């Protein structure tokens, strides 16, 4: 995990996350896991970019305040 560059909602590049829920029409299943690879901080298009683990059928980016996820300790 990177020790610098905190993005939306306090995630860092390299953080491991678990999806709780998504407003997307075709989200990965709840409980899917992945790694934060970056983010867009423009308030109009804020997203957290995720590299989903192998086998997760998605390329979904997470949207703060719409999608719910947790950082895996």
């Amino acid at each position: 995990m990177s020790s610098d560059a905190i993005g939306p909602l306090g995630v860092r590049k390299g953080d491991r996350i678990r999806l709780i829920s998504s407003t997307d029409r075709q989200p990965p299943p709840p409980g899917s896991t992945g790694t934060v690879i970056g983010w867009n901080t423009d308030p109009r298009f804020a997203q957290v970019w995720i590299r989903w683990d192998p086998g997760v059928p998605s390329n979904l980016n997470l949207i703060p305040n719409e999608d719910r996820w947790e950082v895996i300790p």
Side-chain angles (χ1 to χ4, degrees), residues 15-22 24 26-36 48-62 67-73:
D15 276 355
R16 298 281 298 151
I17 61 96
R18 181 180 357 265
L19 181 66
I20 297 170
S21 65
S22 174
D24 193 78
Q26 296 180 322
S32 296
T33 57
T35 303
V36 175
V48 178
W49 303 326
I50 305 297
R51 179 180 303 121
W52 294 101
D53 290 348
V56 175
S58 183
N59 59 1
L60 177 74
N61 294 319
L62 299 175
D67 299 319
R68 294 181 48 223
W69 68 90
E70 63 186 353
V71 175
I72 300 170

